[in-house]
Structure formats: structure tokens, C-alpha cells
Amino acid sequence: MNRPVAVVTGASSGIGAASAKALAGAGFDVVLGARRADRLAEVAAESGGRAIALDVTDEASVAAFAEQVERCDVLVNNAGGAFGLEPVAEADLELWQRMYDVNVLGTVRITKALLPKLVASGNGQVMVVGSIAGHQPYPGGAGYNAAKHAEAALTRVLRMELLGQPVRVCEIDPGMVETEFSLVRFEGDQERADAVYAGMTPLTAADIAETITWIATRPAHVNIDQITITPRDQAGAQLVHRRS
């Protein structure tokens, strides 16, 4: 019997890389997609998966990726990111466009491309790694809030659209997870990135990967519609307990 196939986007680091490893450990054949080919190859070697270059913001890249995926039982839409902290009055629209393209349109592109194979599997599952920022707006997060709210909306609509089809849909919304996320947001400023998690214990990529694997291995009749995961030290997008 062939093993089920899980496709993970944004799989070269962080939650994506951890999820690829965890799903492989749970018995899935894993296909990893990301732009950074060298990092992607390393994660694929560690997980026993197959690395395929993927830029979810590029239609041709998505099409080429999908052509190489013969079967898809689980799709983990993890590719995304936050860029900039400017308020609406000072919005850098290029950064807003970039966030919308990777978080929203990127999710739509790869989901649309693989949906026929997910349906054909007879027990498909689409997971979207969103964010607490998609439910709780906060100052300094305007562009990212907007993109993640849109991503959450499309995930819920997809759940409705696929009712009656053999495909489950789940929205996973983490709070503070210590990955490269803040380093990217602060354009490589390690000190600022480290300060985000100072005095508190954040989630790890492995925590989210474990949750993704749990969802992926539920019985076919069980749909986890939405799950929010935060550290014990975090009770809201900007409500964080920090120890001195």
C-alpha cells in the first residue's frame, strides 16, 4: 500500500521544516517546497522527503511544482511572512503587496493547483498556517494583520465550498513562535528579533509541527476547523507576560 503524501510549502526552515520532519515520522511521504534550494535540500535529506523548488508568488513556479506532485493527500500551506511595522498613515504599499501576495495569493495558487489531487485522494486535507494576527489586529501589524485576516477568510470559505467533498480544511493560528519570522520582519536585525521573545518562553517550530501532525492523523470524519496555539506566557497578540 502506498503511503499518503504530504506537501509542505515554506519548508526550508522554521515551522515548515519541522512539519516536514514530523509528518515523515508519522508515515507520510513528504514533498517539500520553498525558494531556498540549498536549505530545502538539507531539510529533505533529514526528513527523507523530496525537495522541489517553489515560489508561491510565481504562477509558473507553482504550475511546475504541481506537475511534479503525482499524489497529494495533505497540503500544509505554510509559506508566508511579515514585512515592516509602519502604521497605515505611513504604509509602504510595496511591502503590503508583498505580504498579500505570499500569504494570501500564494495560498490560493498552490491550493488551486493541488486541489484536484486532494479530491482524487479520497481523503484530502488542506491546512493553512495563519496567525493570531489574523484574528487580533494590533499597532505595528497593519499590513500583516490585513493579509492574515484575508488568509483566514479564504480558509473558512474554502471549508464551506468543499462541504460534501472528501477534503478537510483546517486553519492553524500560532501566537509567538521563535523561528526566523522576527528576523525577517526586522530585516536581519538579530538584537531586535531576540527582544521579541525576551523574558518569556515562546512556542517552538516543533510545537506547531506536532499539532499539524496530530491534525493530519485524525480519522477521516473529523475536521479540526480552527485551532489557536499560544505560549502560556501569551494571552493576546500583544498581551505577554515577561519575567524580569
Side-chain angles (χ1 to χ4, degrees):
M1 182 177 179
N2 292 331
R3 302 205 310 172
V5 175
V7 174
V8 183
T9 71
S12 61
S13 65
I15 292 171
S19 296
K21 295 172 187 177
L23 287 165
F28 287 85
D29 283 336
V30 181
V31 178
L32 303 85
R35 292 179 302 170
R36 294 181 290 185
D38 53 342
R39 295 278 295 275
L40 191 66
E42 291 176 9
V43 179
E46 293 170 2
S47 64
R50 181 161 62 114
I52 303 176
L54 172 65
D55 180 354
V56 297
T57 69
D58 183 88
E59 195 74 41
S61 176
V62 170
F65 179 90
E67 279 186 11
Q68 297 178 70
V69 178
E70 296 179 1
R71 170 179 173 176
C72 183
D73 299 84
V74 173
L75 169 60
V76 180
N77 281 299
N78 173 69
F83 314 110
L85 298 161
E86 296 81 9
V88 173
E90 301 168 14
D92 183 330
L93 296 186
E94 288 187 7
L95 292 182
W96 279 56
Q97 182 66 57
R98 186 178 169 194
M99 283 185 278
Y100 194 85
D101 204 14
V102 67
N103 290 287
V104 184
L105 298 183
T107 296
V108 173
R109 287 187 188 97
I110 193 68
T111 301
K112 179 181 177 182
L114 292 177
L115 197 52
K117 292 168 185 176
L118 286 156
V119 173
S121 75
N123 181 25
Q125 190 161 187
V126 178
M127 296 190 214
V128 176
V129 180
S131 169
I132 193 173
H135 299 272
Q136 299 181 27
Y138 56 87
Y144 187 59
N145 288 149
K148 283 302 185 183
H149 272 74
E151 187 178 42
L154 79 86
T155 305
R156 292 171 206 162
V157 171
L158 182 64
R159 169 79 168 104
M160 299 174 194
E161 292 172 345
L162 292 176
L163 190 62
Q165 297 289 324
V167 180
R168 292 173 282 167
V169 179
C170 178
E171 175 189 348
I172 303 158
D173 296 314
M176 297 171 72
V177 185
E178 189 168 14
T179 62
E180 294 179 350
F181 177 87
S182 292
L183 190 63
V184 171
R185 191 173 204 176
F186 297 132
E187 300 179 328
D189 188 329
Q190 188 67 59
E191 187 174 349
R192 288 183 72 189
D194 291 343
V196 172
Y197 312 108
M200 57 87 66
T201 303
L203 298 172
T204 66
D207 293 327
I208 308 304
E210 182 179 357
T211 304
I212 286 171
T213 302
W214 175 77
I215 295 168
T217 53
R218 293 311 84 209
H221 70 285
V222 177
N223 193 99
I224 309 298
D225 286 61
Q226 188 273 339
I227 185 166
T228 300
I229 313 166
T230 58
R232 186 179 66 183
D233 288 333
Q234 182 183 23
Q238 289 194 322
L239 185 59
V240 180
H241 170 68
R242 297 184 189 274
R243 293 169 290 281
S244 57

